[in-house]
mmCIF file of all heavy atoms in Angstrom:
data_model
loop_
_atom_site.group_PDB
_atom_site.id
_atom_site.type_symbol
_atom_site.label_atom_id
_atom_site.label_comp_id
_atom_site.label_asym_id
_atom_site.label_seq_id
_atom_site.Cartn_x
_atom_site.Cartn_y
_atom_site.Cartn_z
ATOM 1 N N VAL A 35 13.297 11.867 2.541
ATOM 2 C CA VAL A 35 13.439 12.818 3.650
ATOM 3 C C VAL A 35 13.561 14.202 3.089
ATOM 4 O O VAL A 35 14.390 14.439 2.213
ATOM 5 C CB VAL A 35 14.689 12.487 4.497
ATOM 6 C CG1 VAL A 35 14.773 13.419 5.709
ATOM 7 C CG2 VAL A 35 14.734 11.036 4.890
ATOM 8 N N LEU A 36 12.747 15.090 3.602
ATOM 9 C CA LEU A 36 12.809 16.485 3.140
ATOM 10 C C LEU A 36 12.980 17.395 4.334
ATOM 11 O O LEU A 36 12.309 17.265 5.327
ATOM 12 C CB LEU A 36 11.509 16.855 2.414
ATOM 13 C CG LEU A 36 11.369 18.306 1.966
ATOM 14 C CD1 LEU A 36 12.412 18.625 0.882
ATOM 15 C CD2 LEU A 36 9.961 18.629 1.489
ATOM 16 N N SER A 37 13.937 18.328 4.173
ATOM 17 C CA SER A 37 14.101 19.422 5.124
ATOM 18 C C SER A 37 14.047 20.727 4.407
ATOM 19 O O SER A 37 14.735 20.904 3.381
ATOM 20 C CB SER A 37 15.398 19.236 5.931
ATOM 21 O OG SER A 37 15.420 20.166 7.038
ATOM 22 N N VAL A 38 13.222 21.614 4.883
ATOM 23 C CA VAL A 38 12.993 22.898 4.186
ATOM 24 C C VAL A 38 13.646 24.058 4.922
ATOM 25 O O VAL A 38 13.468 24.190 6.157
ATOM 26 C CB VAL A 38 11.478 23.181 4.084
ATOM 27 C CG1 VAL A 38 11.202 24.487 3.352
ATOM 28 C CG2 VAL A 38 10.738 22.012 3.395
ATOM 29 N N THR A 60 19.793 22.277 8.511
ATOM 30 C CA THR A 60 18.903 21.529 7.597
ATOM 31 C C THR A 60 19.618 20.298 7.005
ATOM 32 O O THR A 60 19.120 19.185 7.043
ATOM 33 C CB THR A 60 18.463 22.424 6.444
ATOM 34 O OG1 THR A 60 17.705 23.530 6.985
ATOM 35 C CG2 THR A 60 17.593 21.696 5.422
ATOM 36 N N ILE A 64 18.954 16.147 7.667
ATOM 37 C CA ILE A 64 18.862 15.129 6.605
ATOM 38 C C ILE A 64 19.866 14.027 6.834
ATOM 39 O O ILE A 64 19.507 12.809 6.761
ATOM 40 C CB ILE A 64 19.101 15.779 5.198
ATOM 41 C CG1 ILE A 64 17.980 16.730 4.848
ATOM 42 C CG2 ILE A 64 19.261 14.696 4.146
ATOM 43 C CD1 ILE A 64 16.664 16.071 4.598
ATOM 44 N N GLU A 68 19.152 10.032 7.238
ATOM 45 C CA GLU A 68 19.774 9.066 6.351
ATOM 46 C C GLU A 68 20.555 8.045 7.102
ATOM 47 O O GLU A 68 20.485 6.807 6.797
ATOM 48 C CB GLU A 68 20.665 9.817 5.332
ATOM 49 C CG GLU A 68 19.886 10.628 4.318
ATOM 50 C CD GLU A 68 20.788 11.463 3.438
ATOM 51 O OE1 GLU A 68 21.881 11.817 3.837
ATOM 52 O OE2 GLU A 68 20.359 11.730 2.272
ATOM 53 N N VAL A 79 16.263 8.508 0.598
ATOM 54 C CA VAL A 79 16.657 9.556 -0.318
ATOM 55 C C VAL A 79 16.446 10.845 0.421
ATOM 56 O O VAL A 79 15.347 11.146 0.932
ATOM 57 C CB VAL A 79 15.779 9.541 -1.596
ATOM 58 C CG1 VAL A 79 16.144 10.666 -2.520
ATOM 59 C CG2 VAL A 79 15.890 8.225 -2.290
ATOM 60 N N GLY A 80 17.502 11.681 0.499
ATOM 61 C CA GLY A 80 17.409 12.956 1.216
ATOM 62 C C GLY A 80 17.355 14.128 0.273
ATOM 63 O O GLY A 80 17.981 14.106 -0.790
ATOM 64 N N GLU A 81 16.621 15.164 0.672
ATOM 65 C CA GLU A 81 16.494 16.349 -0.175
ATOM 66 C C GLU A 81 16.313 17.578 0.759
ATOM 67 O O GLU A 81 15.607 17.537 1.714
ATOM 68 C CB GLU A 81 15.306 16.207 -1.068
ATOM 69 C CG GLU A 81 14.980 17.361 -1.948
ATOM 70 C CD GLU A 81 15.808 17.399 -3.222
ATOM 71 O OE1 GLU A 81 16.304 16.316 -3.677
ATOM 72 O OE2 GLU A 81 15.944 18.461 -3.791
ATOM 73 N N THR A 82 16.995 18.679 0.433
ATOM 74 C CA THR A 82 16.750 19.940 1.090
ATOM 75 C C THR A 82 16.249 20.922 0.044
ATOM 76 O O THR A 82 16.740 20.912 -1.079
ATOM 77 C CB THR A 82 17.998 20.512 1.768
ATOM 78 O OG1 THR A 82 19.011 20.718 0.821
ATOM 79 C CG2 THR A 82 18.521 19.571 2.865
ATOM 80 N N ARG A 83 15.314 21.768 0.451
ATOM 81 C CA ARG A 83 14.793 22.737 -0.451
ATOM 82 C C ARG A 83 14.432 24.027 0.296
ATOM 83 O O ARG A 83 13.970 23.961 1.432
ATOM 84 C CB ARG A 83 13.519 22.261 -1.143
ATOM 85 C CG ARG A 83 13.785 21.073 -2.028
ATOM 86 C CD ARG A 83 12.700 20.897 -3.040
ATOM 87 N NE ARG A 83 13.128 19.845 -3.999
ATOM 88 C CZ ARG A 83 12.331 19.381 -4.912
ATOM 89 N NH1 ARG A 83 11.069 19.797 -5.000
ATOM 90 N NH2 ARG A 83 12.753 18.442 -5.717
ATOM 91 N N TYR A 94 6.630 18.733 -2.915
ATOM 92 C CA TYR A 94 7.645 17.657 -3.061
ATOM 93 C C TYR A 94 6.916 16.285 -2.976
ATOM 94 O O TYR A 94 7.252 15.374 -3.738
ATOM 95 C CB TYR A 94 8.698 17.798 -2.001
ATOM 96 C CG TYR A 94 9.827 16.777 -2.170
ATOM 97 C CD1 TYR A 94 10.667 16.826 -3.272
ATOM 98 C CD2 TYR A 94 10.031 15.796 -1.207
ATOM 99 C CE1 TYR A 94 11.692 15.906 -3.446
ATOM 100 C CE2 TYR A 94 11.058 14.838 -1.407
ATOM 101 C CZ TYR A 94 11.870 14.902 -2.510
ATOM 102 O OH TYR A 94 12.895 13.953 -2.627
#
Side-chain angles (χ1 to χ4, degrees):
V35 185
L36 176 66
S37 191
V38 181
T60 299
I64 292 291
E68 288 175 333
V79 177
E81 178 83 23
T82 60
R83 294 201 173 173
Y94 185 67

